[in-house]
Amino acid sequence: MKKKVKKMLEWFYQETDRGDQNISECKNLYDLVERLQYRLEDMENEHMQLSRKYDDLEQKLNRIIDNLPA
């Protein structure tokens, strides 16, 4: 099990756009998991907002199509 965790950490801290930031800000694995959980919650919230906007646009488009002359 330790090998899997080590490989996962090596993968996460590889040279990516956030690798250096994660190394400097996350002192241990628990901090990293907490940070990822917050980011996931943010992404879920953004997804819900985008879904709502998409539905609004779809409804407006359908009303426009319904009002077009045949």
Side-chain angles (χ1 to χ4, degrees), residues 17-70:
D17 56 340
R18 296 203 178 241
D20 294 334
Q21 181 182 2
N22 287 330
I23 290 171
S24 64
E25 292 180 8
C26 299
K27 304 300 181 219
N28 58 44
L29 188 57
Y30 296 108
D31 291 340
L32 180 59
V33 169
E34 185 176 30
R35 180 185 179 112
L36 292 172
Q37 286 175 330
Y38 286 134
R39 182 61 188 133
L40 182 59
E41 289 173 7
D42 290 343
M43 291 174 73
E44 288 172 341
N45 186 32
E46 291 173 18
H47 177 262
M48 292 302 293
Q49 291 174 355
L50 288 171
S51 293
R52 189 176 331 132
K53 286 181 181 182
Y54 176 82
D55 290 340
D56 291 343
L57 288 172
E58 190 174 33
Q59 288 175 3
K60 288 178 183 179
L61 180 62
N62 286 335
R63 280 192 301 247
I64 290 171
I65 290 172
D66 290 341
N67 290 330
L68 287 175

